[in-house]
Amino acid sequence: MISNLEYFKVFYYTAKYGSVTRAAGELMISQPAVSQSLKQLEKSLGVTLLERSSRGVKLTGEGQLLYSYVEKGYEQIESGVEKVRQMQNMELGEVHIGASDMTLRFYLLPFLEKFHEEYPGIKVIVTNAPTPETLELLQSGKIDFGVVSTPFEKEKDITAFEVREIEDVFVAGRRFISYKNKMLDFQELEKLPMIFLENNTSTRSYMDEYLAQEGVILRPEFELATSDMIVQFALRNLGVGCVVRDFAAEYLESGMLFELRFNRMIPKRAFSVVRSSRQTLPEAAKRLLEIMEIEL
Amino acid sequence: MISNLEYFKVFYYTAKYGSVTRAAGELMISQPAVSQSLKQLEKSLGVTLLERSSRGVKLTGEGQLLYSYVEKGYEQIESGVEKVRQMQNMELGEVHIGASDMTLRFYLLPFLEKFHEEYPGIKVIVTNAPTPETLELLQSGKIDFGVVSTPFEKEKDITAFEVREIEDVFVAGRRFISYKNKMLDFQELEKLPMIFLENNTSTRSYMDEYLAQEGVILRPEFELATSDMIVQFALRNLGVGCVVRDFAAEYLESGMLFELRFNRMIPKRAFSVVRSSRQTLPEAAKRLLEIMEIEL
DNA sequence: TATTTCACATAAGTTGTAATTATGCCACAG
DNA sequence: CTGTGGCATAATTACAACTTATGTGAAATA
């Protein structure tokens, strides 16, 4: 361990300017203070670092050797301080976010755009993963916060904040036009060719569970990886798709798809911002949540 | 300028061990002292560097960023201290010496050999130059000390210390055997083919001046670059060579060369160690001079 | 669920040390 | 030969860092 780092700072400035008086000026202390510090340093190292003369100081061999190291070391620390300052000023930094396709596309994207515009120095790193995996990333500290869709198993020290509602809907194209505006029973779905998301998604397991509870067991014709693809399949009349409404919104409006209606409401779900309550957020993450109007 | 470098040392150890208590142990101060220093550092930077918990501390994003710099910087300074220590222990260092061929060969060499054996870590850098140039090197601080042959112009703040006598002699081979044991006059040299060193050496200019003062002007047959070569020429009976006795010693003893004797003594010269009185010597140079039994 | 333990924070009081002022010394320049 | 600039030294002051004692919270343990 180095005895007194302050001495090295004094030495750094003295060597840099070749003058005790000048160093004192830079350090904003008196000249004798510098002289004494240098003396202390030399004493503690047991070596003469500077040749004193009436027109300044000059490094000895040992002094030169030491200075070559101290110079690099001190400036390294100095630039570390500068980097932290930049981070504080949001000129530098990273925000790690976990989000699913869905939350990213229909909720997060505009905020990220705005954030990036305001703070171009901050890297935004989005890890695209389904809800349970996102929660794991949060627990392990790999992301600052996540945006997931309900429902999910909320473990303790996870703070959740719902930001908007989403609805799961069944949509179909003209081949199934006879079902339009009819009040249907969920049972009737069993007779129709269904297009669903794959099993590993929260949307799928939510629907599976809900329908099972209603006594309906579906065996989808198609199991696709993305909601977009489901919409495309539905448009081509390959079956009845189950997606969050936002994915189909455009086509529902234009009439190319219609929404099936049921005699029972599918309980609404929500997008939820989740974060670890035991971890303080980096400034950049805080600022992004502010933009998203999430109270911390 | 960084406000208090000591804080960074505390931060370094705390971050390194992820524990305030552990850092306190390493720093050999109390735990609250560390806590307070960290608090001060955070306050001065206006940023939280550590997440405190009941089982240690963890770096925040800012802390990690800072640590990556402080780690390098601190260790850089630490290794600088280590290097200086090595230099003190003579495990590391350089000695810069200025010397002529002659002084190197007939005086310095055995000391250098001994020195190098004792301190293999020290680089010995010999700058081979004639006397006036060596003195210049000394003035400009490019060498720690020099070994030259007298006479020379001793400027102030040069300390000289004569270490042994040398004699200039005239030597010849059997072709000139008739001159052996005769007491000669310097004038007689004018009739003989002479072998001398080139003009730019102190030996040559010394002899030129001395002989001129005796009313003798020589026009050597041969002007050679090295004394060794003069001896070789003399051995082959190409003329009478003028060298410092040491160069011919071997052949004088074996009888292959003999020394011409004169009715007047050529004043003896000397090897002299010269150093700048206004400059403290590096430890390594001091030690070498000690080995050479020069008092400082 | 209560209890102990561990790690860090806080508070108050006491050094200890690093700063200041004042002065001295030396070398060089005018 | 004196003035100036630059560093060292001495003595005093003042601040800051350290210590002891205690508090707090979380996690492990009973």
Side-chain angles (χ1 to χ4, degrees):
Chain A
M1 183 207 46
I2 292 175
S3 60
N4 192 338
L5 260 196
E6 277 293 284
Y7 292 158
F8 289 86
K9 184 175 78 185
V10 174
F11 172 67
Y12 168 77
Y13 280 101
T14 307
K16 183 172 177 181
Y17 296 116
S19 157
V20 172
T21 307
R22 176 80 192 278
E26 295 289 327
L27 292 162
M28 299 192 290
I29 55 178
S30 67
Q31 169 263 311
V34 175
S35 284
Q36 288 180 91
S37 290
L38 293 172
K39 203 173 156 190
Q40 290 289 324
L41 179 61
E42 289 181 325
K43 189 178 156 198
S44 79
L45 297 177
V47 58
T48 305
L49 298 169
L50 298 159
E51 297 279 341
R52 280 82 163 169
S53 82
S54 66
R55 66 170 171 290
V57 291
K58 226 186 88 199
L59 289 169
T60 63
E62 286 84 355
Q64 280 175 37
L65 180 68
L66 184 63
Y67 181 62
S68 69
Y69 285 83
V70 170
E71 185 184 20
K72 279 205 200 109
Y74 181 79
E75 286 170 4
Q76 180 78 14
I77 294 175
E78 231 180 8
S79 79
V81 171
E82 171 60 16
K83 287 274 186 277
V84 169
R85 200 199 54 72
Q86 286 183 355
M87 208 172 190
Q88 282 302 93
N89 293 348
M90 303 280 289
E91 292 160 19
L92 192 76
E94 291 182 359
V95 189
H96 294 255
I97 305 172
S100 63
D101 281 325
M102 203 198 309
T103 57
L104 193 56
R105 175 153 167 199
F106 293 113
Y107 176 69
L108 213 45
L109 212 50
F111 295 121
L112 294 186
E113 208 178 325
K114 189 174 170 197
F115 180 80
H116 186 254
E117 210 170 282
E118 195 168 343
Y119 306 109
I122 312 278
K123 239 196 238 174
V124 177
I125 298 154
V126 179
T127 304
N128 212 276
T131 296
E133 203 174 307
T134 298
L135 292 172
E136 262 173 49
L137 289 172
L138 193 62
Q139 292 279 13
S140 64
K142 293 209 174 66
I143 56 174
D144 298 318
F145 64 87
V147 187
V148 297
S149 45
T150 56
F152 55 86
E153 254 184 84
K154 186 175 161 297
E155 310 191 32
K156 69 169 177 145
D157 41 79
I158 296 276
T159 310
F161 186 93
E162 298 199 351
V163 289
R164 60 157 284 200
E165 281 187 339
I166 50 173
E167 288 174 75
D168 297 283
V169 296
F170 289 84
V171 296
R174 46 178 307 113
R175 176 175 153 210
F176 303 95
I177 200 77
S178 57
Y179 290 90
K180 194 170 177 183
N181 294 326
K182 263 198 197 161
M183 193 62 81
L184 303 170
D185 200 85
F186 285 125
Q187 250 75 26
E188 300 188 53
L189 291 174
E190 293 182 339
K191 294 175 270 174
L192 291 168
M194 301 300 297
I195 317 165
F196 264 82
L197 272 179
E198 288 171 350
N199 255 318
N200 63 351
T201 62
S202 69
T203 301
R204 171 65 185 272
S205 52
Y206 176 69
M207 284 310 298
D208 272 2
E209 265 176 55
Y210 174 70
L211 291 175
Q213 170 198 316
E214 295 290 322
V216 181
I217 308 289
L218 294 176
R219 296 222 241 79
E221 206 102 331
F222 301 99
E223 292 201 346
L224 308 179
T226 66
S227 296
D228 276 315
M229 202 49 75
I230 293 175
V231 172
Q232 292 304 317
F233 273 49
L235 279 169
R236 279 162 187 71
N237 292 303
L238 295 170
V240 174
C242 174
V243 293
V244 166
R245 183 181 281 121
D246 298 82
F247 284 100
E250 194 186 318
Y251 301 106
L252 290 172
E253 229 162 88
S254 72
M256 291 175 76
L257 291 176
F258 68 91
E259 185 177 333
L260 279 68
R261 306 182 66 189
F262 295 95
N263 50 14
R264 306 190 61 153
M265 282 282 285
I266 306 170
K268 285 179 179 166
R269 295 195 291 148
F271 287 157
S272 179
V273 172
V274 288
R275 63 186 201 86
S276 167
S277 57
R278 61 170 44 199
Q279 190 168 306
T280 56
L281 292 168
E283 212 50 43
K286 278 187 195 165
R287 198 52 205 109
L288 175 52
L289 286 175
E290 260 172 48
I291 287 177
M292 289 159 61
E293 293 175 343
I294 310 289
E295 49 200 273
L296 298 174
Chain B
M1 184 206 47
I2 292 174
S3 61
N4 193 338
L5 260 197
E6 278 294 284
Y7 292 158
F8 288 87
K9 184 174 77 186
V10 174
F11 171 67
Y12 169 77
Y13 280 101
T14 307
K16 183 173 177 180
Y17 297 117
S19 157
V20 172
T21 306
R22 176 80 191 278
E26 296 288 328
L27 292 162
M28 299 193 292
I29 55 177
S30 66
Q31 170 262 311
V34 175
S35 284
Q36 286 179 81
S37 290
L38 293 172
K39 204 172 156 192
Q40 289 290 323
L41 179 60
E42 288 181 324
K43 190 178 155 198
S44 81
L45 298 178
V47 58
T48 304
L49 297 169
L50 298 158
E51 296 280 341
R52 279 82 162 170
S53 82
S54 66
R55 65 167 172 291
V57 291
K58 227 186 89 200
L59 289 168
T60 62
E62 286 84 355
Q64 282 174 37
L65 180 68
L66 184 63
Y67 181 62
S68 68
Y69 285 83
V70 169
E71 184 184 22
K72 279 205 201 109
Y74 181 80
E75 286 168 5
Q76 179 78 13
I77 294 175
E78 231 180 8
S79 78
V81 171
E82 171 60 14
K83 287 273 186 275
V84 169
R85 200 198 55 72
Q86 286 181 357
M87 207 172 189
Q88 282 301 94
N89 294 347
M90 304 280 290
E91 294 160 18
L92 192 77
E94 291 181 359
V95 190
H96 295 255
I97 305 172
S100 64
D101 280 326
M102 202 197 310
T103 57
L104 193 55
R105 173 151 168 201
F106 293 113
Y107 177 68
L108 214 43
L109 213 52
F111 296 120
L112 295 186
E113 210 178 324
K114 189 173 169 198
F115 180 79
H116 186 254
E117 210 171 281
E118 194 167 344
Y119 307 108
I122 311 278
K123 239 195 234 172
V124 177
I125 297 153
V126 180
T127 304
N128 212 275
T131 296
E133 203 173 307
T134 298
L135 292 172
E136 261 174 50
L137 289 171
L138 193 61
Q139 292 279 13
S140 65
K142 292 208 174 66
I143 57 175
D144 298 319
F145 64 87
V147 187
V148 298
S149 44
T150 57
F152 56 86
E153 253 184 83
K154 186 173 160 298
E155 309 191 31
K156 70 165 174 147
D157 39 82
I158 296 277
T159 310
F161 187 94
E162 298 199 351
V163 287
R164 59 157 284 201
E165 282 189 337
I166 51 173
E167 287 175 75
D168 298 282
V169 296
F170 288 84
V171 297
R174 45 179 308 110
R175 176 177 153 205
F176 302 95
I177 202 75
S178 57
Y179 290 90
K180 194 170 178 183
N181 293 327
K182 262 196 198 161
M183 193 62 81
L184 302 169
D185 200 85
F186 285 124
Q187 250 75 25
E188 300 186 55
L189 289 174
E190 291 183 337
K191 293 175 271 175
L192 291 167
M194 301 301 296
I195 317 165
F196 266 81
L197 273 178
E198 287 171 351
N199 256 316
N200 64 351
T201 64
S202 68
T203 301
R204 171 65 185 273
S205 51
Y206 177 69
M207 285 310 299
D208 272 2
E209 265 176 54
Y210 175 71
L211 292 175
Q213 170 199 313
E214 295 289 321
V216 181
I217 307 290
L218 295 175
R219 294 221 240 84
E221 207 101 332
F222 301 97
E223 294 200 345
L224 307 179
T226 67
S227 296
D228 276 315
M229 202 49 74
I230 292 174
V231 173
Q232 293 303 318
F233 273 50
L235 279 168
R236 279 160 187 74
N237 293 302
L238 295 170
V240 174
C242 174
V243 294
V244 166
R245 182 181 280 119
D246 299 82
F247 284 100
E250 194 185 320
Y251 301 107
L252 290 171
E253 229 162 89
S254 71
M256 293 176 74
L257 291 177
F258 67 91
E259 186 177 333
L260 279 70
R261 304 182 65 189
F262 294 93
N263 50 13
R264 306 193 61 158
M265 283 280 286
I266 305 170
K268 285 179 182 166
R269 295 194 289 148
F271 287 157
S272 179
V273 172
V274 288
R275 62 185 201 84
S276 168
S277 57
R278 61 170 44 200
Q279 189 167 308
T280 56
L281 292 168
E283 212 50 42
K286 278 187 195 164
R287 200 52 207 108
L288 176 52
L289 287 175
E290 260 172 49
I291 286 177
M292 289 161 61
E293 293 175 345
I294 311 289
E295 49 199 272
L296 298 173

